[in-house]
Amino acid sequence: MMFFEMDEGEVSLADIKRIAKHLLDKKYVLSHLTPEQYQALAYIITPTLAPDHNEAAIRECWQHLFDSFSIKDSKDNVLKFYQDKQTGRIYFGDEAGWKEAQIFEHNEKNFTQLKYCRGL
């Protein structure tokens, strides 16, 4: 499971490029990509001379990847993107990992609130 901490608010272009690069840097992920998935990730990180870096096209490509990108691990589990609606954190992993991450998120929020209430 990979965790991606996002900037506050909407996922930024820098976030999108960082995630795509991170996925391409992982040999295990790279070895399981279809040619179309590889091209989409490569498109996101390819430098461009356009002043807006083709932001609209990159965001469209990212949204498609976020919604449909998946690979299988060595145990035949489907790995895909999940996003925590409250924190904006993005996860890439299997469903069991996603459920575990949500428990972690819940416990982290409770701990943060407890710390705040006790003035720690």
Side-chain angles (χ1 to χ4, degrees):
M1 163 108 4
M2 294 179 210
F3 297 85
F4 299 101
E5 185 77 34
M6 302 291 98
D7 294 333
E8 290 290 320
E10 184 180 350
V11 176
S12 71
L13 190 60
D15 290 332
I16 292 168
K17 289 183 177 209
R18 183 171 44 89
I19 292 169
K21 179 160 179 16
H22 188 73
L23 290 172
L24 287 171
D25 286 346
K26 297 293 179 194
K27 289 180 183 176
Y28 178 80
V29 173
L30 191 58
S31 68
H32 286 81
L33 295 178
T34 67
E36 294 80 18
Q37 291 170 328
Y38 176 81
Q39 287 176 339
L41 289 168
Y43 174 76
I44 289 173
I45 65 169
T46 300
T48 177
L49 297 176
D52 67 352
H53 300 283
N54 295 322
E55 185 170 353
I58 289 172
R59 285 187 177 280
E60 184 179 326
C61 186
W62 162 249
Q63 191 60 53
H64 176 71
L65 280 171
F66 185 82
D67 293 339
S68 64
F69 182 79
S70 67
I71 59 173
K72 290 192 175 185
D73 67 11
S74 59
K75 296 178 183 174
D76 217 28
N77 296 315
V78 175
L79 307 176
K80 65 180 199 164
F81 286 109
Y82 298 89
Q83 185 170 23
D84 185 286
K85 302 263 187 247
Q86 292 180 339
T87 64
R89 286 183 179 137
I90 292 178
Y91 304 88
F92 183 77
D94 64 10
E95 189 171 354
W98 167 238
K99 288 177 181 175
E100 187 176 326
Q102 288 189 306
I103 292 169
F104 173 76
E105 284 288 334
H106 176 73
N107 291 338
E108 180 184 46
K109 288 175 199 166
N110 288 342
F111 178 73
T112 301
Q113 289 170 350
L114 179 65
K115 252 176 60 174
Y116 179 73
C117 291
R118 291 189 177 175
L120 298 176

